[in-house]
Amino acid sequence: MRAFHIDSPGAAPVLREIPAPIPAPGELCLRIGACGLNFADLLMISGDYQDTPPAPFTLGMEVAGVVESLGEPLPAQGTADAAPRPLPAIGSRVAVFGGQGGLAEQGCFPADRAVVIPDSMSDTDAAAFQIAYGTSHVALDHKARLQPGETLLVLGAAGGVGLTAVEIGKLMGARVIACARGADKLEIARKAGADHLIDARTDDIRAACKDLGGVDVVYDPVGGDQFDAAFRACNPEARILTIGFASGTVPLIKANHLLVKNLSVMGLYWGGYLRFRPAVVTDSMAQLLRWYEAGRIKPHVSHVLPLERAAEALDLLRQRKSTGKVVVTPR
């Protein structure tokens, strides 16, 4: 099969033929229909992501497709004679956050991470769904406890996770301020539900937020100077969600400034919950799929490219030329 593969540490990924995978116990083999790209894929190429697999490996963190085969079931945790965990049926359509292996024609992934997707959901939507919407929903609902009527500032508001934060924040009853670079990206955020727009290229983020009464929750996948400006625009008892550092700069936080305004800074790594508290992700995904089926949320996919153009697809993220999600299909 074809896969966009990293052969050794530090090597550039290349499209090559590799053996088709065979599912190990607890895994399923998926005929991949689509793979959603994430900023973390770029960090894996450079080896800077916290969960970069050891080489060799295939890029692509989240996928959708059809279950082709199953490995042996794993026994349930607990007693030795406990019943095995149920696995998705062969032929079912699922989405999986596997962490790697998605930029290929087939892949093997943990079966207990597979989410059966509704008939109304395309592979493209499903591949663009889990990480972006899951991150924003867990961040805003589980971590920040965003309340109706509060003011939410979303940085990087036209990006993969930022745009979903605009949508979900609005669904949760917040007043949403979207910050992005340029009028075109801000228009996409406005269509997603943003009440106020700030151009990160030209506007003073702190002053604009202060003019709007300050902010109660900050959703920040950017870091750098934008974090600093948002920090200074916070109201007392505001919550700041650190989602990532697309700017390349990890901000330093002065603890005495937290004290003065009674601020809280919260880190959010969605994938981490799958290890230590998976019910948070399971419950969140169930709510998100209900919203999708009700037509209340819809992934924004700016580009869909075939597997042979995977390098170009990743470069769209690197050059910040995409909005929402970029999806790669095997054909």
Side-chain angles (χ1 to χ4, degrees), residues 104-189:
E105 294 174 319
Q106 293 174 279
C108 290
F109 307 99
D112 60 1
R113 292 189 182 183
V115 177
V116 176
I117 57 178
D119 292 340
S120 60
M121 179 178 269
S122 67
D123 285 347
T124 297
D125 277 2
F129 195 82
Q130 282 190 287
I131 294 177
Y133 280 108
T135 295
S136 292
H137 186 244
V138 171
L140 296 175
D141 183 57
H142 176 73
K143 292 287 285 188
R145 306 293 184 188
L146 179 68
Q147 299 299 306
E150 289 191 310
T151 297
L152 166 67
L153 170 63
V154 180
L155 303 177
V161 292
L163 199 57
T164 63
V166 172
E167 280 186 277
I168 292 172
K170 194 64 179 175
L171 270 177
M172 293 177 69
R175 182 179 67 148
V176 180
I177 305 171
C179 180
R181 291 181 175 272
D184 291 346
K185 291 185 176 182
L186 287 171
E187 176 60 17
I188 290 170

Side-chain angles (χ1 to χ4, degrees), residues 10 14 67 77 83 93 141 235 245 247-249 271 275 305:
V14 293
V67 178
Q77 293 181 352
R93 297 178 62 239
D141 183 57
N235 292 327
F245 312 104
S247 68
T249 301
R275 297 191 184 94
L305 282 75

Side-chain angles (χ1 to χ4, degrees), residues 70-327:
L70 299 167
E72 292 295 320
L74 292 173
Q77 293 181 352
T79 61
D81 59 351
R85 297 175 184 172
L87 299 176
I90 292 174
S92 58
R93 297 178 62 239
V94 300
V96 187
F97 167 72
Q100 60 170 303
L103 285 174
E105 294 174 319
Q106 293 174 279
C108 290
F109 307 99
D112 60 1
R113 292 189 182 183
V115 177
V116 176
I117 57 178
D119 292 340
S120 60
M121 179 178 269
S122 67
D123 285 347
T124 297
D125 277 2
F129 195 82
Q130 282 190 287
I131 294 177
Y133 280 108
T135 295
S136 292
H137 186 244
V138 171
L140 296 175
D141 183 57
H142 176 73
K143 292 287 285 188
R145 306 293 184 188
L146 179 68
Q147 299 299 306
E150 289 191 310
T151 297
L152 166 67
L153 170 63
V154 180
L155 303 177
V161 292
L163 199 57
T164 63
V166 172
E167 280 186 277
I168 292 172
K170 194 64 179 175
L171 270 177
M172 293 177 69
R175 182 179 67 148
V176 180
I177 305 171
C179 180
R181 291 181 175 272
D184 291 346
K185 291 185 176 182
L186 287 171
E187 176 60 17
I188 290 170
R190 185 193 66 78
K191 290 179 178 177
D195 299 288
H196 303 280
L197 307 174
I198 296 175
D199 192 331
R201 287 178 174 172
T202 58
D203 296 338
D204 183 324
I205 296 172
R206 175 180 179 272
C209 289
K210 284 289 190 181
D211 289 344
L212 292 168
V215 298
D216 303 305
V217 175
V218 176
Y219 183 97
D220 179 22
V222 178
D225 292 342
Q226 291 191 36
F227 174 94
D228 295 338
F231 188 97
R232 297 170 65 204
C234 282
N235 292 327
E237 293 195 318
R239 290 88 75 201
I240 304 171
L241 293 155
T242 59
I243 308 298
F245 312 104
S247 68
T249 301
V250 178
L252 298 177
I253 302 165
K254 295 183 177 180
N256 60 322
H257 291 185
L258 297 176
L259 181 152
V260 171
K261 286 190 177 181
N262 290 288
L263 302 181
S264 299
V265 179
M266 306 173 180
L268 191 284
Y269 170 41
W270 178 80
Y273 278 99
L274 293 168
R275 297 191 184 94
F276 68 86
R277 199 173 169 190
V280 171
V281 172
T282 302
D283 293 346
S284 169
M285 196 55 54
Q287 175 62 69
L288 289 166
L289 286 171
R290 286 192 292 269
W291 279 341
Y292 179 90
E293 290 193 90
R296 303 189 73 186
I297 56 175
K298 170 74 172 175
H300 173 86
V301 179
S302 65
H303 298 80
V304 179
L305 282 75
L307 185 58
E308 57 266 24
R309 296 173 65 188
E312 180 183 339
L314 286 164
D315 202 49
L316 289 169
L317 296 185
R318 188 179 290 109
Q319 301 297 327
R320 296 182 180 151
K321 293 181 179 179
S322 62
T323 53
K325 294 286 284 190
V326 176
V327 171

